[in-house]
Amino acid sequence: YGASMMYSLDSLGKKRLEEYIMEAPYDPLNIISGLQRATLDGFFEPRSVAVVGASERPEGIGRAIMANLKGDTTEDRVIYPINPRAKTILGIPAFPSLTACPTVPDLVIVVTPAKTVPPIIYQCIDLKVPSVIIISAGFKEVGGEGVRMEHDMLAALHRPDSVTRVIGPNCFGVMCPPEKLNATFGTQIAPKGKIAFISQSGAMCCAILDWALAMNVGFSYFISVGSMMDVDWADFLDYFGKKDNVKSVLIYMETIGDARRFLSAA
């Protein structure tokens, strides 16, 4: 994905890791560093979306997400397929890397193999991409090297100069029906309504989506959180509390994560 993205995971070491880890206590608005991290708007109201790992392989997740974005996108939303071996994806001009895009994307969706994801996240942080969705699996759920990669990415996200927020990894993606945004690899977007649905299980997302389409139950937000490396329940609840198009929040929870933050937000 371009020389500018070829970070060496093995070379992080103690010195590099110290540059990424912020030793300050939890600081959600970055008052200590003086820099506020991005809101969640980029996940649901992006004007530009880049898909890293976009392809035209019929069975590929990158193709499914591209097809959804192309089919559901509004006229003022731009799509950037990222693939160094393609000139176009589904008729849309492709770019070899994120740095080659004409503008910094509001949302980056990553569907590449796990070992390639950390360098992409580091580049998103350097570019100050506000929102990233990691669809890729193979992190803390597999243990060992996956745990280390996820730890290193989270440390990078907590750098004082980072504004980037991440949903995932190992997730289905997000939908925002009012914005006609389907950033998932599902074949249909949820009906429009007033319910915000958040799930830790991609399979549960698919089951609820099938039921909602059959029963015409509408949603304002439809979210798969995956392993919640960064954005968590509390972030979503705080965000939805400020939205007029959310009348209720439905959660499928397998682990609570930071219980104090969750209870405070709820």
Side-chain angles (χ1 to χ4, degrees):
Y1 289 93
S4 59
M5 299 180 68
M6 296 304 292
Y7 290 80
S8 173
L9 295 179
D10 294 334
S11 68
L12 278 174
K14 183 178 179 181
K15 182 177 180 181
R16 177 85 180 270
L17 210 50
E18 286 175 351
E19 296 175 359
Y20 282 94
I21 297 176
M22 182 171 66
E23 298 294 345
Y26 175 70
D27 178 26
L29 295 180
N30 285 287
I31 295 171
I32 296 172
S33 67
L35 181 67
Q36 183 170 341
R37 295 182 75 191
T39 70
L40 303 188
D41 286 338
F43 291 110
F44 309 114
E45 303 170 14
R47 292 183 177 273
S48 55
V49 183
V51 181
V52 183
S55 75
E56 291 192 343
R57 289 188 298 110
E59 72 281 6
I61 291 177
R63 186 191 190 285
I65 293 174
M66 280 294 302
N68 288 338
L69 292 172
K70 182 180 179 182
D72 296 327
T73 196
T74 59
E75 291 183 1
D76 59 350
R77 184 180 299 141
V78 181
I79 305 171
Y80 300 136
I82 308 299
N83 187 320
R85 295 181 296 276
K87 291 186 177 180
T88 62
I89 302 288
L90 301 184
I92 301 174
F95 299 90
S97 67
L98 288 170
T99 56
C101 295
T103 62
V104 174
D106 293 330
L107 172 63
V108 171
I109 305 171
V110 184
V111 295
T112 58
K115 68 168 113 176
T116 70
V117 173
I120 296 168
I121 297 303
Y122 303 153
Q123 186 171 61
C124 287
I125 293 170
D126 291 342
L127 291 173
K128 300 198 180 302
V129 173
S131 309
V132 180
I133 300 172
I134 305 176
I135 305 291
S136 314
F139 296 95
K140 73 179 181 182
E141 75 275 8
V142 301
E145 180 68 9
V147 174
R148 189 182 75 82
M149 287 193 294
E150 190 163 323
H151 175 271
D152 291 348
M153 288 190 292
L154 185 58
L157 291 167
H158 284 177
R159 275 170 40 185
D161 62 332
S162 172
V163 301
T164 303
R165 304 304 311 270
V166 172
I167 292 178
N170 190 21
C171 72
F172 178 65
V174 307
M175 297 180 185
C176 185
E179 295 292 324
K180 298 180 180 179
L181 176 70
N182 183 3
T184 75
F185 50 91
T187 56
Q188 292 180 279
I189 192 170
K192 182 179 175 180
K194 298 284 187 177
I195 302 171
F197 175 62
I198 322 169
S199 173
Q200 248 176 326
S201 165
M204 181 60 72
C205 280
C206 294
I208 293 294
L209 180 58
D210 288 344
W211 169 80
L213 290 166
M215 303 300 292
N216 196 30
V217 175
F219 295 86
S220 46
Y221 302 92
F222 196 93
I223 302 161
S224 166
V225 297
S227 62
M228 292 195 303
M229 177 179 72
D230 177 38
V231 180
D232 63 8
W233 307 117
D235 292 309
F236 287 120
L237 292 176
D238 284 339
Y239 182 76
F240 295 149
K242 302 178 180 70
K243 295 296 180 179
D244 294 334
N245 63 349
V246 176
K247 298 302 181 185
S248 58
V249 179
L250 178 63
I251 297 176
Y252 176 78
M253 180 185 295
E254 295 176 342
T255 58
I256 195 168
D258 189 329
R260 177 176 292 184
R261 271 174 45 81
F262 173 77
L263 291 174
S264 177

